[in-house]
Amino acid sequence: MKQFTNRTNTTISQVVDIHWQGDSVTILNPHAESGIAVTAQGGHVTINAASGTANVVYSLSGASDNGSITLNTDKKFILRLNGVQLTTANNKPAVNVKDAKKCVVHLVEGTANSFLDNASNTGKACFYSKGALEVQGTGSLSVVSLAVNGLQGKEAVSILAGNTSISVSAAAAKAIKTDGN
């Protein structure tokens, strides 16, 4: 079983792998019986985690010019970016975290990760989290929004010190936004 150790040295064995290759998505979900449902429609992925499912790692990789991910979970989780490039070709955010308490974005060392929406995005941001958003790791992250905010955490946005390269831009709104204190 694949394991992941986060920055607090907590080993997490609930890992779901999602890999894009154009409009095709490969999903490795050994936790379907535990209440984690992952579906794909073209390059658009939806995750529904049963209430109370915590500390799951969703590992994203690959590329799509017509892809996005929506996460419906009520607990903290880790979004492990392992060389993922998603561009949305519809009116959705590239990343939309709907209900989580906290989304920890871990940038894998040596990887480049990017998210780009288009001018018809009707969401709040290209990369949005309804809960707190924390970015950590030593990879790079680029978020570009052509219509709305770039990176937004409704409760808070934290970028932890480290060897991280982050670039966020928004043509029509704020690059980084939070509604929290």
Side-chain angles (χ1 to χ4, degrees):
M1 174 175 288
K2 188 184 272 190
Q3 293 188 330
F4 175 77
T5 302
N6 67 11
R7 70 177 175 87
T8 58
N9 293 322
T10 303
T11 300
I12 301 169
S13 58
Q14 292 190 91
V15 178
V16 175
D17 285 303
I18 302 167
H19 179 81
W20 281 264
Q21 188 168 3
D23 283 342
S24 177
V25 181
T26 302
I27 299 167
L28 178 58
N29 179 13
H31 309 289
E33 300 297 320
S34 301
I36 300 172
V38 184
T39 58
Q41 194 169 39
H44 304 285
V45 174
T46 301
I47 297 172
N48 290 300
S51 182
T53 306
N55 295 320
V56 178
V57 176
Y58 300 102
S59 185
L60 311 183
S61 61
S64 176
D65 288 336
N66 186 18
S68 66
I69 184 163
T70 300
L71 297 104
N72 298 296
T73 178
D74 63 353
K75 296 292 184 182
K76 175 182 172 183
F77 68 92
I78 297 170
L79 197 60
R80 183 175 184 259
L81 305 185
N82 191 15
V84 61
Q85 292 84 37
L86 295 181
T87 300
T88 62
N90 58 20
N91 62 349
K92 295 182 180 182
V95 178
N96 189 9
V97 179
K98 290 193 170 182
D99 298 314
K101 299 290 180 200
K102 185 174 189 178
C103 172
V104 176
V105 178
H106 179 80
L107 307 172
V108 175
E109 181 177 0
T111 63
N113 304 280
S114 64
F115 300 95
L116 170 67
D117 68 5
N118 65 45
S120 66
N121 182 356
T122 58
K124 295 181 187 259
C126 178
F127 192 120
Y128 176 77
S129 176
K130 185 174 181 180
L133 187 59
E134 176 183 292
V135 181
Q136 61 170 272
T138 56
S140 70
L141 174 64
S142 172
V143 178
V144 177
S145 177
L146 301 177
V148 292
N149 298 313
L151 183 68
Q152 181 175 348
K154 185 173 181 183
E155 291 183 17
V157 175
S158 303
I159 299 172
L160 302 183
N163 202 14
T164 303
S165 171
I166 299 174
S167 170
V168 181
S169 65
K174 295 180 180 179
I176 299 176
K177 182 179 188 306
T178 182
D179 296 335
N181 297 327

